[in-house]
Amino acid sequence: MFGIAFGQRIRPAVSAWRGYSSAAKEITVREALNTALDEEMSADPKVFLMGEEVGEYQGAYKISKGLLDKYGPERVLDTPITEAGFTGIGVGAAYHGLKPVIEFMTFNFSMQISYAKIIFVWDFRWVLLKLLLVALQFWLLMQAIDHIINSAAKSNYMSSGQISVPIVFRGPNGAAAGVGAQHSHCYASWYASCPGLKVLAPYSSEDARGLLKAAIRDPDPVVFLENELLYGETFPVSAEVLDSSFCVPIGKAKIEREGKDVTITAFSKMVGYALKVPITDVVEFGWRLFVSQAAEILAKEGISAEVINLRSIRPLDRDTINASVRKTNRLVTVEEGFPQHGVGAEICASVVEESFGYLDAPVERIAGADVPMPYAANLERLAVPQVEDIVRAAKRACYRSVPMAAAA
């Protein structure tokens, strides 16, 4: 009964994968990352993986599943909970010609230490102890960032090109679900502001596999920002993507869907939001499904949207973005990070500098709320961009709805 009713209400999402031609099979983002690591470690003995629980536990998110058994503890290294320590060790190894892949359990909290057990022991003076440990955590955070920014990112320039630092820092970034303010920070704009780093943010299995291979092969330090909620997502991939030689060029965006009325830029999980909208007429079954492209919903109102998957945050593919805006004459940027000094702000600046005369409407920026991430589920949803926000912004850019200023 459910299948019949369900089938009558929802159209097959065939067009949702229009950007993935000649699909051979479907794999999860987790599998894409795992196979990319496996193939690069097999191809180059200088590549090794290091981080918390990457070996015996096979990764906190099972990205490194099977790698310890295949390559041994010398190339898959479990570390203590000391990100400042193994980040520095990785940078030093890269100085000497090795190619470390450093896994952070999360970019949000991975460079801090846990004080839960200490507070349990010293419960009667927990307030003072917690304040001291927060200060220590901040110190360790700055120590780990010191290795990434002051050592990895700047050494090539400071050595006049004599020192290369081929290292990858990878792990989940941004908000997950119900993990609070300290586990929900998006670091894309942080690292993208630093010369010497390359910053990548995959969305699909194709992105994850191709970009990770490119990152490992690159002679410069790469910050590889994954998303926890995408690990289990399945995407169709072609035979070309599954080939061991496959690689996605760093600094090149992908047009996921072509359009003529408005350009929508996004990266990581937000690409899915830009491409898909929720079906609300099955709410009685308790489901919330994403099966139809947002661009198709907009098309029903006469709006043809072009969706750009940035893939690379630094270097940013300004040419593709500006070429699209010059065609559509409108722009909506989408990101889950904070609005001030964000990736969307940089895209807006680029378009104003290079394509201002082509704009027929003000640029619309969709970003996370300018507050620490709430823990409550209802507030959390309000703090991150939703599909309906993107649809409303696209309609405002095309003058199909009342502007926010006029409605205020």
Side-chain angles (χ1 to χ4, degrees):
M1 184 67 180
F2 174 81
I4 296 174
F6 193 70
Q8 290 174 342
R9 292 174 181 270
I10 298 179
R11 295 168 52 198
V14 176
S15 60
W17 308 113
R18 190 171 299 170
Y20 304 93
S21 59
S22 63
K25 62 178 295 187
E26 292 186 353
I27 62 173
T28 64
V29 172
R30 178 182 290 107
E31 292 170 324
L33 293 169
N34 177 265
T35 56
L37 279 170
D38 185 9
E39 291 171 9
E40 293 306 303
M41 292 180 72
S42 177
D44 190 344
K46 294 181 180 179
V47 179
F48 71 93
L49 177 65
M50 179 166 55
E52 297 159 0
E53 299 182 347
V54 298
E56 294 290 345
Y57 192 67
Q58 304 190 79
Y61 300 97
K62 301 299 181 276
I63 304 299
S64 55
K65 183 178 181 179
L67 298 183
L68 176 64
D69 293 337
K70 186 172 183 178
Y71 298 103
E74 290 188 354
R75 295 185 66 194
V76 182
L77 288 78
D78 277 321
T79 68
I81 307 175
T82 171
E83 283 78 6
F86 64 76
T87 301
I89 290 171
V91 173
Y95 282 168
H96 286 271
L98 297 178
K99 297 182 178 180
V101 178
I102 305 300
E103 177 176 312
F104 294 134
M105 196 174 291
T106 167
F107 271 96
N108 300 281
F109 204 57
S110 63
M111 292 173 281
Q112 300 182 15
I113 63 172
S114 172
Y115 51 81
K117 291 183 179 179
I118 304 176
I119 290 177
F120 179 78
V121 174
W122 296 91
D123 186 63
F124 63 94
R125 53 178 74 170
W126 71 272
V127 175
L128 176 61
L129 186 60
K130 184 171 182 178
L131 290 174
L132 291 173
L133 286 168
V134 166
L136 177 60
Q137 288 175 336
F138 181 75
W139 178 79
L140 283 176
L141 171 66
M142 303 319 293
Q143 290 296 304
I145 285 182
D146 178 63
H147 294 308
I148 298 172
I149 303 298
N150 281 330
S151 297
K154 299 178 181 178
S155 292
N156 184 262
Y157 175 82
M158 294 176 69
S159 67
S160 297
Q162 297 180 68
I163 299 177
S164 294
V165 191
I167 186 171
V168 178
F169 305 99
R170 54 156 295 270
N173 168 71
V179 291
Q182 291 177 314
H183 292 68
S184 302
H185 201 109
C186 177
Y187 287 90
S189 61
W190 280 44
Y191 289 113
S193 68
C194 181
L197 290 178
K198 295 177 181 177
V199 182
L200 308 179
Y203 161 61
S204 65
S205 299
E206 176 183 318
D207 293 351
R209 181 171 162 81
L211 287 173
L212 184 55
K213 281 175 165 286
I216 293 173
R217 298 173 189 177
D218 199 272
D220 297 315
V222 178
V223 173
F224 198 84
L225 303 174
E226 301 157 11
N227 187 279
E228 178 184 337
L229 298 181
L230 289 177
Y231 285 143
E233 291 294 315
T234 301
F235 295 86
V237 293
S238 65
E240 177 190 4
V241 174
L242 296 174
D243 189 272
S244 60
S245 63
F246 176 73
C247 190
V248 170
I250 293 176
K252 185 63 179 176
K254 179 183 180 182
I255 298 177
E256 297 283 355
R257 179 187 177 104
E258 294 188 356
K260 63 179 183 179
D261 293 329
V262 59
T263 297
I264 302 175
T265 65
F267 62 93
S268 189
K269 183 177 65 177
M270 291 294 107
V271 177
Y273 279 43
L275 285 171
K276 307 169 189 178
V277 297
I279 299 300
T280 56
D281 61 354
V282 294
V283 68
E284 62 268 32
F285 297 113
W287 288 62
R288 180 175 175 82
L289 302 177
F290 291 85
V291 298
S292 180
Q293 293 186 357
E296 292 182 353
I297 300 300
L298 292 169
K300 292 179 180 179
E301 301 190 33
I303 300 174
S304 174
E306 181 152 292
V307 180
I308 297 178
N309 173 7
L310 295 177
R311 284 181 165 175
S312 179
I313 310 301
R314 186 186 182 106
L316 188 64
D317 189 356
R318 301 171 191 271
D319 290 342
T320 295
I321 296 169
N322 278 280
S324 178
V325 170
R326 292 178 184 185
K327 178 178 67 172
T328 66
N329 309 118
R330 295 171 177 86
L331 173 64
V332 176
T333 70
V334 186
E335 62 185 308
E336 73 174 301
F338 298 132
Q340 186 159 321
H341 309 304
V343 176
E346 179 65 23
I347 293 173
C348 292
S350 175
V351 169
V352 168
E353 291 168 357
E354 301 179 38
S355 305
F356 179 75
Y358 292 85
L359 288 173
D360 287 342
V363 175
E364 294 279 349
R365 280 202 299 152
I366 302 299
D370 200 18
V371 296
M373 180 65 69
Y375 178 75
N378 60 329
L379 297 179
E380 180 185 63
R381 188 180 188 281
L382 294 173
V384 295
Q386 300 297 325
V387 175
E388 51 266 32
D389 299 323
I390 303 170
V391 172
R392 282 196 296 264
K395 291 170 70 175
R396 285 196 301 269
C398 295
Y399 300 107
R400 301 299 177 87
S401 63
V402 179
M404 287 189 298

